[in-house]
Amino acid sequence: MTEQPRLVVLISGRGSNLRALAEAIRQGRLRATLAAVISNRADAPGLAFAAEQGIPTRVVSHVGLSRAEHSAALLGAVRPYEPRMICLAGFMRLLAPSFTQAFAHRIVNIHPSLLPAFPGLEAQRQALDYGVKVSGCTVHLVDEELDHGPIVMQSAVPVLDDDTPETLAARILAAEHKTYPAAIERLLHEPWTLEGRRVVFQSSQGT
Ligand code: GRF
């Protein structure tokens, strides 16, 4: 059997999306292997999960480093694993152009809002405060701007009148756990092109 495409996952914390990717791989919904999990924080719970699963782990701390220096260190850590794609899963640092350009169109992120609405931190609270009736999650290609690159897939969830940031976050997270593996599976295994900002999957065209 040919080797599945290799993914390196970058995390900073809990790692529930990392778990969702691992589960999707186990179930055959995502045809890939997790080559490594890299965290900027040694105490990230997701790192412990990866280690339990026998996935190679690395810590590349950002402390005391500029963004460019941290990205250079990350690049050095990621490259030996020769990933097809790099998946950001709750990774809380911005990547420098040196990194995003080295893996152009091969880095994905998941964000808990329907971008371009509510980029940045506390997206669920931003959505509640604004009063939107629908929110959701977005998988996008990563460029050097925050939560900005071309959109791969989005899933919507309702915002309910009695939602708190926590209840809305939980509803969105459930959508994230389905959407992220599905988006990565498509990127890896279906032909697609980038037309301006639009990610166009060939199989969805022209019916
Ligand atoms: C998720 O809500 C993700 O969309 C955002 O950060 C959170 C990470 O959660 N980028 P987890 O670490 O995957 O549980």
Side-chain angles (χ1 to χ4, degrees):
M1 209 174 95
T2 51
E3 203 200 346
Q4 300 285 17
R6 301 161 67 79
L7 306 177
V8 168
V9 183
L10 303 192
I11 64 168
S12 295
R14 181 175 57 181
S16 72
N17 277 290
L18 165 67
R19 283 173 182 262
L21 296 182
E23 182 65 7
I25 289 171
R26 201 182 62 75
Q27 294 178 349
R29 285 182 285 122
L30 172 55
R31 289 167 292 162
T33 68
L34 296 177
V37 174
I38 299 177
S39 173
N40 63 307
R41 297 181 56 110
D43 61 354
L47 214 49
F49 166 77
E52 277 164 25
Q53 302 293 305
I55 302 164
T57 61
R58 296 279 306 271
V59 176
V60 180
S61 173
H62 62 280
V63 176
L65 301 183
S66 67
R67 183 190 304 175
E69 289 167 341
H70 186 228
S71 284
L74 281 170
L75 205 50
V78 165
R79 274 203 161 119
Y81 296 105
E82 298 183 343
R84 172 88 68 85
M85 297 203 80
I86 297 167
C87 308
L88 311 188
F91 182 66
M92 302 300 284
R93 312 300 301 181
L94 268 175
L95 296 167
S98 59
F99 192 107
T100 54
Q101 286 161 16
F103 290 96
H105 308 149
R106 288 163 57 202
I107 312 171
V108 281
N109 182 42
I110 181 140
H111 181 75
S113 75
L114 294 176
L115 290 171
F118 317 127
L121 294 175
E122 297 199 63
Q124 304 93 337
R125 183 182 295 278
Q126 291 185 56
L128 269 187
D129 288 350
Y130 196 91
V132 293
K133 301 300 186 190
V134 176
S135 189
C137 64
T138 302
V139 178
H140 65 93
L141 303 179
V142 171
D143 61 17
E144 40 282 334
E145 285 181 57
L146 178 67
D147 301 328
H148 174 267
I151 291 171
V152 179
M153 198 179 282
Q154 294 183 300
S155 299
V157 305
V159 179
L160 305 180
D161 288 345
D162 60 355
D163 264 334
T164 63
E166 292 73 29
T167 60
L168 178 58
R171 194 174 309 115
I172 293 173
L173 195 63
E176 292 183 40
H177 293 164
K178 294 195 182 103
T179 308
Y180 207 13
I184 296 168
E185 168 70 15
R186 289 198 82 179
L187 286 172
L188 291 175
H189 296 289
E190 288 183 33
W192 57 274
T193 53
L194 200 52
E195 297 177 11
R197 280 192 53 89
R198 299 175 62 224
V199 174
V200 178
F201 289 98
Q202 305 305 312
S203 56
S204 321
Q205 279 194 311
T207 46

mmCIF file of all heavy atoms in Angstrom, residues 118-170:
data_model
loop_
_atom_site.group_PDB
_atom_site.id
_atom_site.type_symbol
_atom_site.label_atom_id
_atom_site.label_comp_id
_atom_site.label_asym_id
_atom_site.label_seq_id
_atom_site.Cartn_x
_atom_site.Cartn_y
_atom_site.Cartn_z
ATOM 1 N N PHE A 118 -15.466 38.158 12.275
ATOM 2 C CA PHE A 118 -14.906 37.798 13.581
ATOM 3 C C PHE A 118 -13.594 37.026 13.554
ATOM 4 O O PHE A 118 -13.478 35.937 14.124
ATOM 5 C CB PHE A 118 -15.950 37.020 14.408
ATOM 6 C CG PHE A 118 -17.329 37.617 14.321
ATOM 7 C CD1 PHE A 118 -18.428 36.851 13.952
ATOM 8 C CD2 PHE A 118 -17.522 38.969 14.572
ATOM 9 C CE1 PHE A 118 -19.687 37.410 13.836
ATOM 10 C CE2 PHE A 118 -18.788 39.540 14.463
ATOM 11 C CZ PHE A 118 -19.869 38.754 14.097
ATOM 12 N N PRO A 119 -12.578 37.564 12.898
ATOM 13 C CA PRO A 119 -11.239 36.967 13.017
ATOM 14 C C PRO A 119 -10.676 37.242 14.402
ATOM 15 O O PRO A 119 -11.221 38.055 15.163
ATOM 16 C CB PRO A 119 -10.437 37.718 11.935
ATOM 17 C CG PRO A 119 -11.121 39.040 11.811
ATOM 18 C CD PRO A 119 -12.585 38.779 12.076
ATOM 19 N N GLY A 120 -9.593 36.584 14.722
ATOM 20 C CA GLY A 120 -8.882 36.875 15.971
ATOM 21 C C GLY A 120 -9.440 36.113 17.153
ATOM 22 O O GLY A 120 -10.155 35.121 17.005
ATOM 23 N N LEU A 121 -9.096 36.616 18.334
ATOM 24 C CA LEU A 121 -9.436 35.916 19.574
ATOM 25 C C LEU A 121 -10.918 36.056 19.900
ATOM 26 O O LEU A 121 -11.567 37.005 19.482
ATOM 27 C CB LEU A 121 -8.612 36.493 20.733
ATOM 28 C CG LEU A 121 -7.100 36.249 20.657
ATOM 29 C CD1 LEU A 121 -6.385 36.979 21.796
ATOM 30 C CD2 LEU A 121 -6.797 34.754 20.701
ATOM 31 N N GLU A 122 -11.423 35.097 20.686
ATOM 32 C CA GLU A 122 -12.793 35.119 21.210
ATOM 33 C C GLU A 122 -13.823 35.353 20.115
ATOM 34 O O GLU A 122 -14.726 36.186 20.242
ATOM 35 C CB GLU A 122 -12.914 36.180 22.305
ATOM 36 C CG GLU A 122 -12.026 35.872 23.506
ATOM 37 C CD GLU A 122 -12.464 36.619 24.755
ATOM 38 O OE1 GLU A 122 -13.596 36.353 25.221
ATOM 39 O OE2 GLU A 122 -11.696 37.453 25.233
ATOM 40 N N ALA A 123 -13.688 34.598 19.046
ATOM 41 C CA ALA A 123 -14.592 34.758 17.901
ATOM 42 C C ALA A 123 -16.046 34.486 18.303
ATOM 43 O O ALA A 123 -16.968 35.125 17.792
ATOM 44 C CB ALA A 123 -14.170 33.802 16.787
ATOM 45 N N GLN A 124 -16.244 33.542 19.221
ATOM 46 C CA GLN A 124 -17.612 33.199 19.611
ATOM 47 C C GLN A 124 -18.240 34.349 20.402
ATOM 48 O O GLN A 124 -19.413 34.690 20.206
ATOM 49 C CB GLN A 124 -17.628 31.910 20.449
ATOM 50 C CG GLN A 124 -16.967 30.719 19.753
ATOM 51 C CD GLN A 124 -15.488 30.555 20.084
ATOM 52 O OE1 GLN A 124 -14.811 31.515 20.478
ATOM 53 N NE2 GLN A 124 -14.981 29.337 19.927
ATOM 54 N N ARG A 125 -17.464 34.974 21.278
ATOM 55 C CA ARG A 125 -17.963 36.137 22.020
ATOM 56 C C ARG A 125 -18.228 37.302 21.062
ATOM 57 O O ARG A 125 -19.241 37.999 21.188
ATOM 58 C CB ARG A 125 -16.958 36.555 23.113
ATOM 59 C CG ARG A 125 -17.452 37.710 23.964
ATOM 60 C CD ARG A 125 -16.423 38.138 24.989
ATOM 61 N NE ARG A 125 -16.147 37.108 25.973
ATOM 62 C CZ ARG A 125 -16.895 36.877 27.045
ATOM 63 N NH1 ARG A 125 -17.969 37.623 27.277
ATOM 64 N NH2 ARG A 125 -16.572 35.923 27.883
ATOM 65 N N GLN A 126 -17.340 37.495 20.099
ATOM 66 C CA GLN A 126 -17.546 38.557 19.103
ATOM 67 C C GLN A 126 -18.868 38.348 18.365
ATOM 68 O O GLN A 126 -19.614 39.292 18.125
ATOM 69 C CB GLN A 126 -16.425 38.543 18.059
ATOM 70 C CG GLN A 126 -15.051 38.953 18.526
ATOM 71 C CD GLN A 126 -14.106 39.002 17.322
ATOM 72 O OE1 GLN A 126 -14.362 39.698 16.341
ATOM 73 N NE2 GLN A 126 -13.010 38.257 17.384
ATOM 74 N N ALA A 127 -19.154 37.088 18.007
ATOM 75 C CA ALA A 127 -20.386 36.790 17.267
ATOM 76 C C ALA A 127 -21.616 37.091 18.124
ATOM 77 O O ALA A 127 -22.587 37.703 17.670
ATOM 78 C CB ALA A 127 -20.388 35.325 16.825
ATOM 79 N N LEU A 128 -21.560 36.689 19.403
ATOM 80 C CA LEU A 128 -22.684 36.954 20.309
ATOM 81 C C LEU A 128 -22.872 38.448 20.496
ATOM 82 O O LEU A 128 -23.994 38.955 20.430
ATOM 83 C CB LEU A 128 -22.402 36.328 21.678
ATOM 84 C CG LEU A 128 -22.862 34.909 21.937
ATOM 85 C CD1 LEU A 128 -22.623 34.574 23.409
ATOM 86 C CD2 LEU A 128 -24.321 34.710 21.571
ATOM 87 N N ASP A 129 -21.770 39.152 20.732
ATOM 88 C CA ASP A 129 -21.856 40.597 20.984
ATOM 89 C C ASP A 129 -22.421 41.333 19.770
ATOM 90 O O ASP A 129 -23.169 42.300 19.911
ATOM 91 C CB ASP A 129 -20.467 41.174 21.330
ATOM 92 C CG ASP A 129 -19.987 40.746 22.713
ATOM 93 O OD1 ASP A 129 -20.809 40.171 23.465
ATOM 94 O OD2 ASP A 129 -18.800 40.961 23.027
ATOM 95 N N TYR A 130 -22.073 40.839 18.565
ATOM 96 C CA TYR A 130 -22.559 41.510 17.352
ATOM 97 C C TYR A 130 -24.036 41.231 17.129
ATOM 98 O O TYR A 130 -24.756 42.014 16.508
ATOM 99 C CB TYR A 130 -21.748 41.046 16.137
ATOM 100 C CG TYR A 130 -21.916 41.957 14.959
ATOM 101 C CD1 TYR A 130 -21.055 43.033 14.755
ATOM 102 C CD2 TYR A 130 -22.971 41.772 14.057
ATOM 103 C CE1 TYR A 130 -21.226 43.887 13.688
ATOM 104 C CE2 TYR A 130 -23.150 42.625 12.989
ATOM 105 C CZ TYR A 130 -22.279 43.678 12.806
ATOM 106 O OH TYR A 130 -22.446 44.539 11.754
ATOM 107 N N GLY A 131 -24.491 40.068 17.618
ATOM 108 C CA GLY A 131 -25.909 39.729 17.488
ATOM 109 C C GLY A 131 -26.246 38.908 16.264
ATOM 110 O O GLY A 131 -27.420 38.836 15.867
ATOM 111 N N VAL A 132 -25.247 38.263 15.654
ATOM 112 C CA VAL A 132 -25.566 37.430 14.484
ATOM 113 C C VAL A 132 -26.430 36.243 14.903
ATOM 114 O O VAL A 132 -26.388 35.807 16.054
ATOM 115 C CB VAL A 132 -24.285 36.924 13.762
ATOM 116 C CG1 VAL A 132 -23.523 38.071 13.126
ATOM 117 C CG2 VAL A 132 -23.378 36.132 14.711
ATOM 118 N N LYS A 133 -27.241 35.741 13.978
ATOM 119 C CA LYS A 133 -28.132 34.613 14.251
ATOM 120 C C LYS A 133 -27.550 33.290 13.780
ATOM 121 O O LYS A 133 -28.082 32.225 14.070
ATOM 122 C CB LYS A 133 -29.494 34.844 13.577
ATOM 123 C CG LYS A 133 -30.195 36.118 14.034
ATOM 124 C CD LYS A 133 -30.457 36.104 15.545
ATOM 125 C CE LYS A 133 -31.295 37.311 15.972
ATOM 126 N NZ LYS A 133 -31.335 37.418 17.466
ATOM 127 N N VAL A 134 -26.505 33.371 12.980
ATOM 128 C CA VAL A 134 -25.817 32.183 12.477
ATOM 129 C C VAL A 134 -24.326 32.413 12.634
ATOM 130 O O VAL A 134 -23.822 33.497 12.335
ATOM 131 C CB VAL A 134 -26.135 31.944 10.978
ATOM 132 C CG1 VAL A 134 -25.340 30.767 10.430
ATOM 133 C CG2 VAL A 134 -27.633 31.717 10.770
ATOM 134 N N SER A 135 -23.627 31.398 13.149
ATOM 135 C CA SER A 135 -22.163 31.470 13.130
ATOM 136 C C SER A 135 -21.658 30.107 12.648
ATOM 137 O O SER A 135 -22.400 29.393 11.970
ATOM 138 C CB SER A 135 -21.598 31.852 14.499
ATOM 139 O OG SER A 135 -20.212 32.116 14.359
ATOM 140 N N GLY A 136 -20.439 29.742 12.981
ATOM 141 C CA GLY A 136 -19.951 28.463 12.500
ATOM 142 C C GLY A 136 -18.445 28.400 12.523
ATOM 143 O O GLY A 136 -17.801 29.045 13.360
ATOM 144 N N CYS A 137 -17.894 27.625 11.607
ATOM 145 C CA CYS A 137 -16.439 27.498 11.560
ATOM 146 C C CYS A 137 -15.964 27.559 10.115
ATOM 147 O O CYS A 137 -16.727 27.313 9.181
ATOM 148 C CB CYS A 137 -15.978 26.199 12.226
ATOM 149 S SG CYS A 137 -16.540 24.698 11.402
ATOM 150 N N THR A 138 -14.702 27.911 9.982
ATOM 151 C CA THR A 138 -14.085 28.083 8.662
ATOM 152 C C THR A 138 -12.747 27.368 8.641
ATOM 153 O O THR A 138 -11.919 27.572 9.532
ATOM 154 C CB THR A 138 -13.830 29.582 8.375
ATOM 155 O OG1 THR A 138 -15.065 30.295 8.439
ATOM 156 C CG2 THR A 138 -13.192 29.777 7.000
ATOM 157 N N VAL A 139 -12.539 26.546 7.611
ATOM 158 C CA VAL A 139 -11.209 25.995 7.333
ATOM 159 C C VAL A 139 -10.647 26.814 6.178
ATOM 160 O O VAL A 139 -11.316 26.995 5.156
ATOM 161 C CB VAL A 139 -11.279 24.509 6.948
ATOM 162 C CG1 VAL A 139 -9.878 23.977 6.620
ATOM 163 C CG2 VAL A 139 -11.910 23.697 8.076
ATOM 164 N N HIS A 140 -9.440 27.336 6.373
ATOM 165 C CA HIS A 140 -8.861 28.182 5.322
ATOM 166 C C HIS A 140 -7.376 27.908 5.173
ATOM 167 O O HIS A 140 -6.711 27.437 6.103
ATOM 168 C CB HIS A 140 -9.113 29.668 5.637
ATOM 169 C CG HIS A 140 -8.432 30.161 6.879
ATOM 170 N ND1 HIS A 140 -7.183 30.748 6.861
ATOM 171 C CD2 HIS A 140 -8.795 30.144 8.180
ATOM 172 C CE1 HIS A 140 -6.832 31.065 8.090
ATOM 173 N NE2 HIS A 140 -7.785 30.713 8.915
ATOM 174 N N LEU A 141 -6.880 28.226 3.970
ATOM 175 C CA LEU A 141 -5.442 28.186 3.743
ATOM 176 C C LEU A 141 -4.820 29.349 4.499
ATOM 177 O O LEU A 141 -5.455 30.393 4.681
ATOM 178 C CB LEU A 141 -5.132 28.298 2.247
ATOM 179 C CG LEU A 141 -5.768 27.235 1.341
ATOM 180 C CD1 LEU A 141 -5.398 27.498 -0.122
ATOM 181 C CD2 LEU A 141 -5.339 25.833 1.748
ATOM 182 N N VAL A 142 -3.592 29.152 4.936
ATOM 183 C CA VAL A 142 -2.954 30.150 5.803
ATOM 184 C C VAL A 142 -1.996 31.016 5.012
ATOM 185 O O VAL A 142 -1.157 30.503 4.252
ATOM 186 C CB VAL A 142 -2.209 29.433 6.950
ATOM 187 C CG1 VAL A 142 -1.354 30.411 7.750
ATOM 188 C CG2 VAL A 142 -3.214 28.735 7.863
ATOM 189 N N ASP A 143 -2.155 32.325 5.164
ATOM 190 C CA ASP A 143 -1.141 33.263 4.675
ATOM 191 C C ASP A 143 -0.613 34.042 5.879
ATOM 192 O O ASP A 143 -0.896 33.673 7.018
ATOM 193 C CB ASP A 143 -1.700 34.151 3.552
ATOM 194 C CG ASP A 143 -2.882 34.990 4.005
ATOM 195 O OD1 ASP A 143 -3.068 35.131 5.232
ATOM 196 O OD2 ASP A 143 -3.616 35.500 3.144
ATOM 197 N N GLU A 144 0.140 35.103 5.630
ATOM 198 C CA GLU A 144 0.798 35.744 6.777
ATOM 199 C C GLU A 144 -0.135 36.671 7.553
ATOM 200 O O GLU A 144 0.234 37.171 8.602
ATOM 201 C CB GLU A 144 2.087 36.475 6.371
ATOM 202 C CG GLU A 144 2.086 37.236 5.086
ATOM 203 C CD GLU A 144 2.225 36.332 3.861
ATOM 204 O OE1 GLU A 144 2.786 35.232 3.965
ATOM 205 O OE2 GLU A 144 1.729 36.746 2.797
ATOM 206 N N GLU A 145 -1.373 36.862 7.068
ATOM 207 C CA GLU A 145 -2.324 37.678 7.810
ATOM 208 C C GLU A 145 -3.216 36.782 8.674
ATOM 209 O O GLU A 145 -3.543 35.662 8.285
ATOM 210 C CB GLU A 145 -3.198 38.486 6.856
ATOM 211 C CG GLU A 145 -2.481 39.666 6.230
ATOM 212 C CD GLU A 145 -3.406 40.436 5.304
ATOM 213 O OE1 GLU A 145 -4.462 40.896 5.755
ATOM 214 O OE2 GLU A 145 -3.065 40.539 4.121
ATOM 215 N N LEU A 146 -3.658 37.345 9.779
ATOM 216 C CA LEU A 146 -4.440 36.565 10.744
ATOM 217 C C LEU A 146 -5.800 36.136 10.166
ATOM 218 O O LEU A 146 -6.566 36.992 9.718
ATOM 219 C CB LEU A 146 -4.653 37.411 12.010
ATOM 220 C CG LEU A 146 -5.479 36.788 13.123
ATOM 221 C CD1 LEU A 146 -4.743 35.605 13.728
ATOM 222 C CD2 LEU A 146 -5.800 37.836 14.192
ATOM 223 N N ASP A 147 -6.083 34.838 10.205
ATOM 224 C CA ASP A 147 -7.403 34.287 9.826
ATOM 225 C C ASP A 147 -7.869 34.842 8.486
ATOM 226 O O ASP A 147 -9.019 35.266 8.336
ATOM 227 C CB ASP A 147 -8.433 34.587 10.936
ATOM 228 C CG ASP A 147 -8.029 33.994 12.271
ATOM 229 O OD1 ASP A 147 -7.378 32.925 12.267
ATOM 230 O OD2 ASP A 147 -8.349 34.589 13.315
ATOM 231 N N HIS A 148 -7.026 34.796 7.497
ATOM 232 C CA HIS A 148 -7.238 35.576 6.275
ATOM 233 C C HIS A 148 -7.207 34.784 4.966
ATOM 234 O O HIS A 148 -7.855 35.166 3.987
ATOM 235 C CB HIS A 148 -6.178 36.689 6.216
ATOM 236 C CG HIS A 148 -6.198 37.462 4.939
ATOM 237 N ND1 HIS A 148 -5.394 37.143 3.853
ATOM 238 C CD2 HIS A 148 -6.938 38.527 4.567
ATOM 239 C CE1 HIS A 148 -5.642 37.988 2.873
ATOM 240 N NE2 HIS A 148 -6.568 38.835 3.266
ATOM 241 N N GLY A 149 -6.498 33.686 4.873
ATOM 242 C CA GLY A 149 -6.253 33.039 3.574
ATOM 243 C C GLY A 149 -7.524 32.475 2.938
ATOM 244 O O GLY A 149 -8.607 32.490 3.537
ATOM 245 N N PRO A 150 -7.405 31.972 1.702
ATOM 246 C CA PRO A 150 -8.558 31.457 0.962
ATOM 247 C C PRO A 150 -9.335 30.372 1.725
ATOM 248 O O PRO A 150 -8.754 29.501 2.372
ATOM 249 C CB PRO A 150 -7.909 30.859 -0.295
ATOM 250 C CG PRO A 150 -6.658 31.651 -0.479
ATOM 251 C CD PRO A 150 -6.157 31.947 0.897
ATOM 252 N N ILE A 151 -10.656 30.453 1.597
ATOM 253 C CA ILE A 151 -11.542 29.562 2.361
ATOM 254 C C ILE A 151 -11.694 28.216 1.655
ATOM 255 O O ILE A 151 -11.945 28.158 0.451
ATOM 256 C CB ILE A 151 -12.912 30.246 2.564
ATOM 257 C CG1 ILE A 151 -12.734 31.440 3.531
ATOM 258 C CG2 ILE A 151 -13.952 29.260 3.083
ATOM 259 C CD1 ILE A 151 -13.953 32.322 3.638
ATOM 260 N N VAL A 152 -11.535 27.152 2.427
ATOM 261 C CA VAL A 152 -11.650 25.785 1.894
ATOM 262 C C VAL A 152 -13.050 25.228 2.150
ATOM 263 O O VAL A 152 -13.678 24.645 1.272
ATOM 264 C CB VAL A 152 -10.598 24.859 2.540
ATOM 265 C CG1 VAL A 152 -10.727 23.433 2.004
ATOM 266 C CG2 VAL A 152 -9.188 25.397 2.331
ATOM 267 N N MET A 153 -13.555 25.401 3.360
ATOM 268 C CA MET A 153 -14.853 24.823 3.731
ATOM 269 C C MET A 153 -15.399 25.584 4.940
ATOM 270 O O MET A 153 -14.612 26.024 5.789
ATOM 271 C CB MET A 153 -14.663 23.340 4.087
ATOM 272 C CG MET A 153 -15.930 22.513 4.067
ATOM 273 S SD MET A 153 -15.604 20.774 4.477
ATOM 274 C CE MET A 153 -14.953 20.138 2.961
ATOM 275 N N GLN A 154 -16.712 25.723 4.986
ATOM 276 C CA GLN A 154 -17.349 26.359 6.144
ATOM 277 C C GLN A 154 -18.563 25.546 6.562
ATOM 278 O O GLN A 154 -19.209 24.931 5.712
ATOM 279 C CB GLN A 154 -17.800 27.794 5.808
ATOM 280 C CG GLN A 154 -16.636 28.727 5.524
ATOM 281 C CD GLN A 154 -17.049 30.153 5.265
ATOM 282 O OE1 GLN A 154 -17.801 30.400 4.330
ATOM 283 N NE2 GLN A 154 -16.567 31.079 6.067
ATOM 284 N N SER A 155 -18.865 25.557 7.857
ATOM 285 C CA SER A 155 -20.096 24.951 8.359
ATOM 286 C C SER A 155 -20.788 25.957 9.258
ATOM 287 O O SER A 155 -20.126 26.610 10.084
ATOM 288 C CB SER A 155 -19.805 23.687 9.166
ATOM 289 O OG SER A 155 -19.163 22.728 8.362
ATOM 290 N N ALA A 156 -22.101 26.059 9.102
ATOM 291 C CA ALA A 156 -22.864 27.030 9.885
ATOM 292 C C ALA A 156 -23.577 26.344 11.052
ATOM 293 O O ALA A 156 -23.974 25.180 10.955
ATOM 294 C CB ALA A 156 -23.893 27.709 8.989
ATOM 295 N N VAL A 157 -23.717 27.074 12.147
ATOM 296 C CA VAL A 157 -24.552 26.611 13.264
ATOM 297 C C VAL A 157 -25.421 27.792 13.706
ATOM 298 O O VAL A 157 -25.026 28.945 13.543
ATOM 299 C CB VAL A 157 -23.720 26.097 14.471
ATOM 300 C CG1 VAL A 157 -22.738 25.007 14.064
ATOM 301 C CG2 VAL A 157 -23.001 27.222 15.187
ATOM 302 N N PRO A 158 -26.596 27.504 14.286
ATOM 303 C CA PRO A 158 -27.434 28.609 14.760
ATOM 304 C C PRO A 158 -26.857 29.243 16.018
ATOM 305 O O PRO A 158 -26.186 28.569 16.810
ATOM 306 C CB PRO A 158 -28.775 27.929 15.067
ATOM 307 C CG PRO A 158 -28.445 26.500 15.299
ATOM 308 C CD PRO A 158 -27.228 26.192 14.469
ATOM 309 N N VAL A 159 -27.134 30.525 16.189
ATOM 310 C CA VAL A 159 -26.853 31.201 17.459
ATOM 311 C C VAL A 159 -28.204 31.342 18.166
ATOM 312 O O VAL A 159 -29.148 31.902 17.599
ATOM 313 C CB VAL A 159 -26.229 32.588 17.234
ATOM 314 C CG1 VAL A 159 -25.970 33.277 18.572
ATOM 315 C CG2 VAL A 159 -24.941 32.472 16.415
ATOM 316 N N LEU A 160 -28.312 30.786 19.368
ATOM 317 C CA LEU A 160 -29.593 30.768 20.077
ATOM 318 C C LEU A 160 -29.681 31.941 21.051
ATOM 319 O O LEU A 160 -28.654 32.455 21.532
ATOM 320 C CB LEU A 160 -29.758 29.443 20.817
ATOM 321 C CG LEU A 160 -29.608 28.191 19.929
ATOM 322 C CD1 LEU A 160 -29.787 26.923 20.748
ATOM 323 C CD2 LEU A 160 -30.582 28.234 18.751
ATOM 324 N N ASP A 161 -30.916 32.346 21.354
ATOM 325 C CA ASP A 161 -31.099 33.537 22.190
ATOM 326 C C ASP A 161 -30.474 33.369 23.573
ATOM 327 O O ASP A 161 -30.051 34.346 24.177
ATOM 328 C CB ASP A 161 -32.602 33.842 22.338
ATOM 329 C CG ASP A 161 -33.175 34.391 21.041
ATOM 330 O OD1 ASP A 161 -32.374 34.791 20.158
ATOM 331 O OD2 ASP A 161 -34.409 34.410 20.902
ATOM 332 N N ASP A 162 -30.464 32.144 24.077
ATOM 333 C CA ASP A 162 -29.916 31.962 25.427
ATOM 334 C C ASP A 162 -28.459 31.483 25.404
ATOM 335 O O ASP A 162 -27.939 31.017 26.414
ATOM 336 C CB ASP A 162 -30.794 30.992 26.239
ATOM 337 C CG ASP A 162 -30.885 29.611 25.591
ATOM 338 O OD1 ASP A 162 -30.341 29.436 24.465
ATOM 339 O OD2 ASP A 162 -31.506 28.718 26.198
ATOM 340 N N ASP A 163 -27.791 31.617 24.270
ATOM 341 C CA ASP A 163 -26.386 31.201 24.206
ATOM 342 C C ASP A 163 -25.496 32.072 25.083
ATOM 343 O O ASP A 163 -25.728 33.276 25.240
ATOM 344 C CB ASP A 163 -25.859 31.291 22.760
ATOM 345 C CG ASP A 163 -25.934 29.957 22.021
ATOM 346 O OD1 ASP A 163 -25.904 28.911 22.693
ATOM 347 O OD2 ASP A 163 -26.022 29.986 20.779
ATOM 348 N N THR A 164 -24.493 31.443 25.634
ATOM 349 C CA THR A 164 -23.353 32.143 26.241
ATOM 350 C C THR A 164 -22.165 31.879 25.305
ATOM 351 O O THR A 164 -22.249 30.999 24.437
ATOM 352 C CB THR A 164 -23.031 31.559 27.630
ATOM 353 O OG1 THR A 164 -22.641 30.188 27.438
ATOM 354 C CG2 THR A 164 -24.234 31.649 28.570
ATOM 355 N N PRO A 165 -21.060 32.600 25.485
ATOM 356 C CA PRO A 165 -19.896 32.262 24.663
ATOM 357 C C PRO A 165 -19.526 30.791 24.771
ATOM 358 O O PRO A 165 -19.106 30.171 23.784
ATOM 359 C CB PRO A 165 -18.791 33.168 25.238
ATOM 360 C CG PRO A 165 -19.527 34.346 25.781
ATOM 361 C CD PRO A 165 -20.823 33.785 26.319
ATOM 362 N N GLU A 166 -19.753 30.206 25.943
ATOM 363 C CA GLU A 166 -19.376 28.803 26.148
ATOM 364 C C GLU A 166 -20.310 27.844 25.397
ATOM 365 O O GLU A 166 -19.851 26.889 24.771
ATOM 366 C CB GLU A 166 -19.386 28.459 27.648
ATOM 367 C CG GLU A 166 -18.291 29.143 28.450
ATOM 368 C CD GLU A 166 -18.516 30.635 28.663
ATOM 369 O OE1 GLU A 166 -19.702 31.072 28.704
ATOM 370 O OE2 GLU A 166 -17.519 31.388 28.774
ATOM 371 N N THR A 167 -21.619 28.090 25.468
ATOM 372 C CA THR A 167 -22.536 27.173 24.770
ATOM 373 C C THR A 167 -22.381 27.307 23.259
ATOM 374 O O THR A 167 -22.431 26.315 22.523
ATOM 375 C CB THR A 167 -24.014 27.406 25.172
ATOM 376 O OG1 THR A 167 -24.382 28.759 24.851
ATOM 377 C CG2 THR A 167 -24.228 27.158 26.659
ATOM 378 N N LEU A 168 -22.181 28.540 22.791
ATOM 379 C CA LEU A 168 -21.970 28.722 21.350
ATOM 380 C C LEU A 168 -20.657 28.066 20.926
ATOM 381 O O LEU A 168 -20.595 27.399 19.884
ATOM 382 C CB LEU A 168 -21.972 30.217 20.995
ATOM 383 C CG LEU A 168 -21.718 30.538 19.517
ATOM 384 C CD1 LEU A 168 -22.746 29.869 18.610
ATOM 385 C CD2 LEU A 168 -21.713 32.060 19.297
ATOM 386 N N ALA A 169 -19.620 28.233 21.748
ATOM 387 C CA ALA A 169 -18.316 27.628 21.413
ATOM 388 C C ALA A 169 -18.445 26.107 21.319
ATOM 389 O O ALA A 169 -17.851 25.485 20.431
ATOM 390 C CB ALA A 169 -17.271 28.014 22.454
ATOM 391 N N ALA A 170 -19.231 25.514 22.220
ATOM 392 C CA ALA A 170 -19.386 24.051 22.200
ATOM 393 C C ALA A 170 -20.096 23.601 20.929
ATOM 394 O O ALA A 170 -19.725 22.582 20.320
ATOM 395 C CB ALA A 170 -20.167 23.596 23.433
#
